Amino acid sequence: MQMRFFLFVATLIGAALLGGCASPYPPQDPATYKALIAPYRLDSGDRLRVVVFGQADLTNSYTIDQAGYISMPLIGAVAARGRSTQEMEGDIAAKLRKGFVRNPDVSVEVDRYRPFFIMGEVTSAGQYPYVNGMTAQTAVAIAGGFSPRAQRADVDVTRQVNGKVTTIRLLPTQPIFPGDTVNVRERFF
């Protein structure tokens, strides 16, 4: 009788421990991970360096506004949100060909990425400039490092994937993107 009681208690404790190991987030869909290797998509706050060869008046830096457009001389507003730099080159060249420049040669590159945000158990939570190739670990370092109560094994990252806001759990060595919100959780013990 006593042995059954101990087995019952051990089973309950084991179930409780295994239940605590489950992730609070469902398994990630393939689209989330596909976004990790997809070309960078522009959004509000990114600053672009547009070079139109042979046209010094059109060559400049342009910031994507809240509506998702840049405004260039001669051609006006050009949609940028959700586009790659290569798609922007084609759009700008096509608009310039319509009576402004005979054979435009356009180059677009990201001059400055939109910031990322970090909160939770870090020394200095806030908004910081994004650096190309940033990982969750370097984001924490930029924010002054972990607080003494921080969970250091992984972080939660909220980002837009295919127009939907999603939260994923990342290891410190995994990449974060411009516009991401990184949350460093508090450890339990």
Side-chain angles (χ1 to χ4, degrees), residues 76-143:
V78 180
R81 177 175 287 140
R83 317 286 320 252
S84 70
T85 54
Q86 291 80 13
E87 291 169 335
M88 290 290 297
E89 289 171 357
D91 290 351
I92 293 168
K95 285 189 171 202
L96 287 172
R97 258 187 230 102
K98 293 180 180 178
F100 299 109
V101 179
R102 192 172 293 200
N103 190 14
D105 189 4
V106 179
S107 173
V108 176
E109 64 183 19
V110 179
D111 188 28
R112 184 189 71 217
Y113 293 96
R114 61 190 178 276
F116 74 96
F117 304 88
I118 188 163
M119 60 187 191
E121 295 298 324
V122 292
T123 304
S124 299
Q127 171 183 315
Y128 293 95
Y130 178 83
V131 178
N132 200 16
M134 183 175 283
T135 64
Q137 188 172 27
T138 55
V140 169
I142 288 171

Side-chain angles (χ1 to χ4, degrees), residues 31-110:
T32 301
Y33 291 106
K34 188 177 178 184
L36 290 172
I37 58 171
Y40 179 68
R41 297 292 171 183
L42 302 167
D43 206 348
S44 297
D46 287 334
R47 185 171 65 198
L48 305 177
R49 176 80 178 143
V50 178
V51 177
V52 181
F53 295 100
Q55 303 294 324
D57 293 340
L58 296 174
T59 298
N60 206 345
S61 290
Y62 302 93
T63 301
I64 301 173
D65 63 20
Q66 289 292 31
Y69 292 86
I70 62 170
S71 183
M72 291 185 63
L74 298 178
I75 61 174
V78 180
R81 177 175 287 140
R83 317 286 320 252
S84 70
T85 54
Q86 291 80 13
E87 291 169 335
M88 290 290 297
E89 289 171 357
D91 290 351
I92 293 168
K95 285 189 171 202
L96 287 172
R97 258 187 230 102
K98 293 180 180 178
F100 299 109
V101 179
R102 192 172 293 200
N103 190 14
D105 189 4
V106 179
S107 173
V108 176
E109 64 183 19
V110 179

Side-chain angles (χ1 to χ4, degrees), residues 9-20:
V9 170
T11 304
L12 285 177
I13 291 172
L17 289 173
L18 286 176

